[in-house]
Amino acid sequence: MKDYYDILGIDKSASKDDVKRAFRKLAAKYHPDKKTGDEAKFKEISEAYSVLGDDKKRAEYDAYGRSYAGGQGGGFGGQWGGFQGGFGQGGVEFDLNDIFENFGDIFGGGVRGSRRQARGHDISVDIELSFKEAVFGTTRTLRITKNSTCPTCKGSGAKPGTDMTTCAVCNGNGRVRETRQSILGQFATVRECDNCGGTGKVPKEACADCGGEGVKRMEETIEIVVPAGIENGEMIRMTGRGEAVRGGTPGDLYVKVHVERHPTITRNGSTLESSLRVKLSDALLGASYGVETLDGTITIKIPEGVKHGEVLRIKGKGVPVSGSSRGDFHVKILIDIPQKLSRNAKKLIEELKKEGI
């Protein structure tokens, strides 16, 4: 007969909690899905726990020693999780929350022993901005209907001036234990208490405004601060401004930005760009032109002999980048070539041509 105490590494005087702790520690180490896993060892420690974890079977095991046969039917099938028989027959209860409490990374981290705090749903909204608003930043005020923390009871669910009391359903634990019978035995799971929303407390007298729920569907005014330089399609995340939930934390509000196009100005990172059409004579002799920017019309000097496609820079009139610093504004020169020339203009061009211009 196997020495189940030796397999779990405990003394015969070990308490039931000691047995459970020893099993959890070894199961975390030898679980077949872990790098340090050993299927045969995991079967062995599970068999030992099925006997020593049950008061009746443990008493029989201690009394009959080598002649004890109660644990022999508790073997495993070809895979670690397929019990072939016996574990449920003696009333052994497997508490999945307890077993996997300290190694929730099994199955991709989906099992946890501690209660996870409830969280409200996230909300997504869209806003439209003008090109100038996106460059310099702005604020927007939205009115959103959502589940919000009750303004009367501040989320407690209790009538103002009254006390909270221990939830009678979960006895203040915030969680309730449910046991179900299967062919593998009894399996226990723990879920959040519906009566108190996982808080362990319920109001002696419910808030009349929210009916004791602590949250209320209502219209809320939210001011959105749009940072300077935001680009089309970007998202602004506002933590805790989403849906409120009883006994938990609110979700987040996500604001998606849509930026309108400007008729004459485009953006390239921190640089703003536009084009300027100039007459051939002005390109040759130089001139002054007004350029439309987001700061208003700015007069720039076109140098003599400027080339078609040449870019002139207006410093510090682009997109804000940090503090008072801004990018530049680039103006691309487009020289208008006349389609028809007067007789006098042709003579002048001929003279220029003779001079090699």
Side-chain angles (χ1 to χ4, degrees), residues 37-48:
D38 184 323
E39 185 173 343
K41 187 69 175 177
F42 185 78
K43 291 178 182 178
E44 191 175 51
I45 62 175
S46 297
E47 181 181 330

Side-chain angles (χ1 to χ4, degrees), residues 269-272 313-322 324-330:
S270 63
T271 302
L272 296 178
R313 184 181 73 157
I314 304 176
K315 189 175 181 180
K317 295 301 180 181
V319 180
V321 286
S322 61
S324 58
S325 178
R326 291 177 63 181
D328 297 332
F329 194 104
H330 289 178

Side-chain angles (χ1 to χ4, degrees), residues 40-282:
K41 187 69 175 177
F42 185 78
K43 291 178 182 178
E44 191 175 51
I45 62 175
S46 297
E47 181 181 330
Y49 178 66
S50 73
V51 174
L52 300 185
D54 179 77
D55 292 338
K56 182 179 179 181
K57 285 190 175 185
R58 182 176 179 177
E60 292 175 356
Y61 175 77
D62 290 341
Y64 297 109
R66 289 185 177 276
S67 63
Y68 173 75
Q72 295 178 359
F76 289 80
Q79 297 184 5
W80 70 268
F83 295 96
Q84 286 187 338
F87 280 12
Q89 297 171 4
V92 178
E93 182 181 282
F94 292 90
D95 188 332
L96 299 182
N97 296 80
D98 286 341
I99 290 174
F100 297 120
E101 184 176 17
N102 294 323
F103 53 105
D105 54 333
I106 297 175
F107 307 121
V111 182
R112 289 288 186 270
S114 58
R115 183 178 75 88
R116 186 176 180 180
Q117 188 179 32
R119 185 178 182 276
H121 293 298
D122 294 333
I123 298 175
S124 179
V125 297
D126 294 66
I127 62 171
E128 289 192 1
L129 302 175
S130 68
F131 188 86
K132 187 173 183 178
E133 286 175 326
V135 169
F136 293 122
T138 186
T139 58
R140 283 293 172 83
T141 300
L142 297 182
R143 295 189 68 83
I144 302 175
T145 300
K146 64 185 185 73
N147 287 334
S148 301
T149 300
C150 176
T152 302
C153 66
K154 311 302 181 186
S156 70
K159 179 180 178 180
T162 62
D163 296 327
M164 302 291 287
T165 186
T166 301
C167 175
V169 175
C170 65
N171 293 320
N173 292 320
R175 299 188 295 174
V176 292
R177 180 187 180 91
E178 294 179 335
T179 303
R180 62 183 177 86
Q181 186 71 36
S182 74
I183 59 173
L184 305 179
Q186 285 187 333
F187 285 86
T189 57
V190 177
R191 64 172 177 80
E192 183 180 274
C193 177
D194 294 330
N195 189 52
C196 65
T199 63
K201 298 286 185 180
V202 293
K204 282 186 177 180
E205 192 172 348
C207 171
D209 199 13
C210 65
E213 291 298 317
V215 294
K216 180 183 178 182
R217 190 125 188 115
M218 55 188 291
E219 189 176 63
E220 186 173 331
T221 301
I222 298 176
E223 185 177 81
I224 301 169
V225 178
V226 180
I230 196 166
E231 298 200 54
N232 183 54
E234 280 196 70
M235 298 281 284
I236 301 172
R237 178 187 178 188
M238 301 183 70
T239 304
R241 300 309 300 269
E243 296 269 4
V245 64
R246 180 185 182 188
T249 58
D252 298 333
L253 172 64
Y254 289 88
V255 183
K256 187 173 183 178
V257 172
H258 301 273
V259 181
E260 297 174 353
R261 292 185 177 183
H262 193 279
T264 60
I265 301 172
T266 59
R267 178 179 174 181
N268 183 10
S270 63
T271 302
L272 296 178
E273 300 172 338
S274 72
S275 58
L276 177 65
R277 308 194 74 88
V278 300
K279 294 188 297 185
L280 176 61
S281 57
D282 290 335

